[in-house]
Amino acid sequence: MFQHRSGRLAALATTTLALAAGATTTAFATSNHQTEPEAKPTVVLVHGAWADSSSWSGVVKRLQADGYPVTAPATPLRGLASDASYLADYLKTVKGPIVLVGHSYGGAVITNSATGNPHVKALVYVAAFAPDKGESTADLLAKYPGTHLGADPDAPLPRALNPVPYTQADGSTGTDLYIKADKFRDVFLSNRVNTAKAAELAATQRPIAVQAVGEPSGTPAWKTIPSWYLVAHDDHTIPAAAERAMAARAHAHTVEVDGPHAVAVTHPHAVTRLVEQAATAR
């Protein structure tokens, strides 16, 4: 009788241990499933004219600290179609979802390069051009008065710009446009940084070719990809009225910041916050 009871107890113990082990395995698997973090999208930052990738430095540091993979490729600034094609090819090398961010002329570049790319989940415009099909950045500047570039319909170039000729690959002569050193602090920075910092940024500015400014845009990606827009309402390069109009047309989630055109330099925290809103949106 004792042996019979011992056998039943042993069988019961074995069954209990098996059930407990199964429950533990299930709980462990469930716990793993619940706590596994979702991969964050790669943020691709695209600079525009009269800046370079280092203009994103404050934003890059903050995004990286928050765990985002970030890259800031150089923009050739030679022509809208060729610049967009260059970026589109670059985006093909990025794995997983992408949040594409453009500043200034870089906004026109992302507008064209993201079209048809299923991995781009959001567009973020930072004091940037968001042209419609057939529009150029020059068209948009002429449409909304207020730029400190000194745009004059009767003048060949805005007064704040310095033309520099260069030889193109086919042997013809092209023209690069720089902001004049004594105008840079006002036009690009709205006098929001000290003169030494402004002089440094003026010295390291990347010029843009004339043909890039006048080249019409193609089919805009903002018609099919959700967009976010940061309006810099003390912008002396692109008038804030133009930025608001482009943001409204794109049905963008819009914020306004009391900053200059180079708002990523002066307000990197605000730019980072908007990028992360786009990155986490459903």
Side-chain angles (χ1 to χ4, degrees), residues 61-72:
K61 287 190 295 185
R62 286 165 172 80
L63 288 171
Q64 289 179 335
D66 290 340
Y68 286 91
V70 187
T71 182

Side-chain angles (χ1 to χ4, degrees), residues 12 22 27 62 101 114 139 150 186 199 207 266 268 270 281:
L12 179 60
R62 286 165 172 80
V101 186
D139 292 336
D186 170 44
T266 60

Side-chain angles (χ1 to χ4, degrees), residues 89-106:
D89 288 343
Y90 180 85
L91 294 177
K92 293 174 185 175
T93 71
V94 179
K95 298 184 183 300
I98 298 168
V99 173
L100 192 53
V101 186
H103 170 246
S104 192
Y105 167 80

Side-chain angles (χ1 to χ4, degrees), residues 21-187:
T24 302
T25 302
T26 302
F28 181 77
T30 303
S31 175
N32 268 2
H33 178 73
Q34 289 175 343
T35 60
E36 184 176 349
E38 184 179 351
K40 292 184 176 180
T42 297
V43 178
V44 179
L45 302 167
V46 181
H47 70 82
W50 309 310
D52 63 15
S53 295
S54 67
S55 63
W56 295 111
S57 294
V59 178
V60 170
K61 287 190 295 185
R62 286 165 172 80
L63 288 171
Q64 289 179 335
D66 290 340
Y68 286 91
V70 187
T71 182
T75 307
L77 302 174
R78 283 290 168 260
L80 183 52
S82 62
D83 291 343
S85 177
Y86 178 89
L87 180 60
D89 288 343
Y90 180 85
L91 294 177
K92 293 174 185 175
T93 71
V94 179
K95 298 184 183 300
I98 298 168
V99 173
L100 192 53
V101 186
H103 170 246
S104 192
Y105 167 80
V109 177
I110 71 171
T111 294
N112 286 267
S113 63
T115 301
N117 187 328
H119 298 294
V120 179
K121 65 170 288 185
L123 302 170
V124 182
Y125 293 90
V126 179
F129 290 105
D132 203 345
K133 187 174 183 177
E135 287 180 335
S136 69
T137 58
D139 292 336
L140 288 164
L141 277 180
K143 188 175 181 180
Y144 297 91
T147 178
H148 288 206
L149 284 168
D152 183 348
D154 298 322
L157 288 173
R159 293 184 297 276
L161 298 181
N162 182 36
V164 176
Y166 68 93
T167 302
Q168 301 187 100
D170 62 0
S172 62
T173 299
T175 302
D176 266 340
L177 300 176
Y178 292 81
I179 298 179
K180 294 175 181 176
D182 63 339
K183 304 290 186 184
F184 195 90
R185 184 167 179 255
D186 170 44
V187 172

Side-chain angles (χ1 to χ4, degrees), residues 163-249:
V164 176
Y166 68 93
T167 302
Q168 301 187 100
D170 62 0
S172 62
T173 299
T175 302
D176 266 340
L177 300 176
Y178 292 81
I179 298 179
K180 294 175 181 176
D182 63 339
K183 304 290 186 184
F184 195 90
R185 184 167 179 255
D186 170 44
V187 172
F188 212 65
L189 299 158
S190 301
N191 301 309
R192 295 297 189 97
V193 304
N194 61 49
T195 54
K197 181 63 176 177
E200 174 193 331
L201 294 173
T204 58
Q205 66 177 292
R206 296 259 328 266
I208 188 168
V210 168
Q211 59 262 33
V213 176
E215 190 173 338
S217 184
T219 301
W222 49 257
K223 287 194 173 181
T224 55
I225 300 174
S227 61
W228 280 254
Y229 201 110
L230 186 149
V231 173
H233 63 71
D234 192 29
D235 195 326
H236 292 180
T237 304
I238 304 175
E243 295 176 5
R244 293 186 188 105
M246 289 184 284
R249 181 173 63 183

